[in-house]
């Protein structure tokens, strides 16, 4: 059973920072590339960032330079450090696991998903 559990969402003011966590089952973590996606109300789910086992990363242009994805292999957890947050970053953020060979932004390539955590950027 593959399990992904996100945490760390909340309300933050514009310009602020927030760190999301995704706890994964050990099998998931060792065999899959991990990613973060988000979905705002009335919009399609969109790619945010991805990371592979060795720490290679891939970011959406909209978050490059502001967000950082990382992983703690010992803790089987990935993180999304978000800085300089904007109101348009408001969304439900999802952690996902991709069994493929390359980092990708395609949601269809990710086989397993967490339940999501709400991030709201507002003054």
């Amino acid at each position: 059973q593959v399990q992904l559990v996100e945490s760390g969402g909340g309300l933050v003011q514009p310009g602020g920072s927030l760190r999301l966590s995704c706890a994964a089952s050990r099998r998931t973590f060792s065999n899959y590339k991990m990613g973060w996606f988000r979905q705002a109300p009335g919009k399609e789910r969109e790619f945010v960032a991805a990371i592979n086992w060795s720490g290679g990363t891939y970011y959406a242009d909209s978050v490059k330079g502001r967000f950082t994805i990382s992983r703690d292999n010992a803790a089987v957890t990935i993180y999304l450090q978000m800085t300089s947050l904007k109101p348009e970053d408001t969304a439900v953020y999802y952690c996902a696991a991709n069994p493929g060979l390359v980092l990708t932004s395609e949601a269809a390539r990710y086989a397993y998903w967490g339940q999501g955590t709400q991030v709201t950027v507002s003054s």
Side-chain angles (χ1 to χ4, degrees):
Q1 184 72 19
V2 175
Q3 292 183 335
L4 301 171
V5 181
E6 303 97 333
S7 62
L11 173 64
V12 62
Q13 293 185 342
S17 300
L18 208 58
R19 189 178 80 157
L20 305 182
S21 300
C22 173
S25 60
R26 189 164 297 276
R27 174 180 295 181
T28 304
F29 211 72
S30 62
N31 296 335
Y32 293 81
K33 294 161 183 61
M34 305 297 293
W36 287 98
F37 288 76
R38 66 187 181 186
Q39 187 167 19
K43 294 188 176 182
E44 297 287 322
R45 187 172 297 189
E46 66 172 353
F47 170 75
V48 175
I51 188 167
N52 62 18
W53 172 256
S54 61
T57 57
Y58 177 35
Y59 293 94
D61 289 342
S62 59
V63 306
K64 203 172 294 183
R66 299 189 299 123
F67 291 10
T68 302
I69 188 172
S70 61
R71 66 193 296 159
D72 182 336
N73 292 335
V76 291
T77 300
I78 66 167
Y79 304 97
L80 186 68
Q81 178 67 50
M82 305 184 292
T83 63
S84 301
L85 282 161
K86 305 173 183 180
E88 51 263 44
D89 294 317
T90 295
V92 177
Y93 283 72
Y94 297 91
C95 173
N98 163 27
L101 297 177
V102 297
L103 290 177
T104 180
S105 61
E106 297 179 35
R109 301 287 187 178
Y110 289 77
Y112 303 100
W113 295 80
Q115 82 289 350
T117 185
Q118 176 70 47
V119 172
T120 302
V121 184
S122 175
S123 55

